Amino acid sequence: MNSNPADPLDGRIVAMALGDMATRFSLEVIEHCASTSSVLLDRAMPDQASGSVVVCERQTAGRGRRGRSWLSAPGDSLTFSMLWRFPPGMLPPAGLSLAVGVAAARALEGMGAAGVRLKWPNDILADGAKLGGILVETVAHGGQHVAVIGIGINVRLPREIAEAVDAEAGALVSVMPYAPSRNLLLANLLKALGEMLDEFGRSGFAGFVEEWLARNAHAGARVSILAEGADPIEGRCAGVDIDGALLLDTATGVRRIVSGEVSLRPR
Ligand code: ATP
């Protein structure tokens, strides 16, 4: 794979950087696909091992929430997905998308990224600009919840992406002292995801609330919650609940906003 000769995706380098944790993941590097999450979701679920990872150089139809697109550029972006099985009988993994945000922030900060913030429910920001997106899709199989966790990161930001998106986009290189290797970035993100998922399996999102709040991009800010076909809900961002719901301080009291169909916008 040599789409960017300076920094080609290479499974062997990722495995070396993972060290002892390499055995937890089965990594497949592919040149192009519509969406790494779709690749994992389309495969026969019962046969797909926990820790299966697909990373792709040219993702042509990356997905965000509610049919939105995630744009990426060969060599400049990191786009990958990981499949994870939760123990049979475990409740649906509420708040997983936010816990993934905490794991991603830990990994980016560990590599020297400054000012990483999380925007409820699933964006990674720095300096007010979106440099990463998270999409968690969950399916149930025979009493077991299977999550496909998709992450897209702008390592660098080509002008065509900056101009195509409706909110301000950012890039990792702008908040790091050096341009990170995408292989090392992937290894660090996988390590952080593995550690987070162990913790999440024991106590759910509750154990991540404090860390999420410490990076809340809109802590205490006045925000609007937008939903299609409904009036915006205005309030002050008062934190998140142990299931990942946003706590919105409104004129009529604190309301719980559940993600999925709504978007948060600063006022
Ligand atoms: P919000 O919560 O702000 O409404 P969202 O969570 O619905 O956003 P996502 O599903 O995370 O959005 O991502 C899709 C959106 O992200 C697109 O509509 C586009 O505006 C923006 N986007 C797409 N690709 C990129 C990118 N590479 N960098 C930054 N932003 C992007």
Side-chain angles (χ1 to χ4, degrees), residues 7-203:
D7 184 25
L9 291 171
D10 187 329
R12 289 163 306 179
I13 300 177
V14 179
M16 259 190 299
L18 279 167
D20 291 348
M21 279 186 91
T23 53
R24 295 187 60 168
F25 306 102
S26 145
L27 175 67
E28 192 182 336
V29 183
I30 56 179
E31 176 62 29
H32 56 83
C33 70
S35 140
T36 54
S37 288
S38 300
V39 169
L40 286 174
L41 285 166
D42 285 350
R43 288 179 181 167
M45 280 295 183
D47 301 339
Q48 198 70 48
S50 209
S52 296
V53 176
V54 172
V55 59
C56 176
E57 189 60 88
R58 293 169 194 276
Q59 182 173 255
T60 51
R63 292 183 286 113
R65 297 186 305 147
R66 291 164 292 155
R68 297 188 188 192
S69 317
W70 182 262
L71 306 175
S72 50
D76 290 332
S77 314
L78 177 67
T79 52
F80 73 99
S81 299
M82 177 169 76
L83 180 142
W84 196 260
R85 295 175 179 286
F86 290 95
M90 192 178 138
L91 293 170
L96 180 60
S97 169
L98 281 76
V100 171
V102 170
R106 286 175 178 172
L108 300 182
E109 289 162 2
M111 293 181 78
V116 177
R117 296 285 176 271
L118 299 172
K119 171 173 173 260
W120 185 89
N122 65 333
D123 292 344
I124 306 167
L125 314 182
D127 286 340
K130 180 162 164 177
L131 62 79
I134 293 164
L135 182 69
V136 173
E137 294 166 288
T138 312
V139 289
H141 261 274
Q144 188 180 30
H145 290 282
V146 182
V148 172
I149 298 167
I151 297 187
I153 305 262
N154 304 326
V155 176
R156 283 164 290 269
L157 183 67
R159 183 140 41 106
E160 58 274 20
I161 294 185
E163 287 172 355
V165 300
D166 45 22
E168 194 190 341
L172 200 49
V173 283
S174 311
V175 293
M176 286 184 65
Y178 59 96
S181 135
R182 292 181 305 151
N183 293 305
L184 195 55
L185 176 61
L186 176 58
N188 287 335
L189 285 164
L190 291 178
K191 274 187 204 167
L193 285 174
E195 284 160 9
M196 177 279 288
L197 285 159
D198 290 344
E199 221 173 312
F200 193 95
R202 290 190 294 272
S203 45

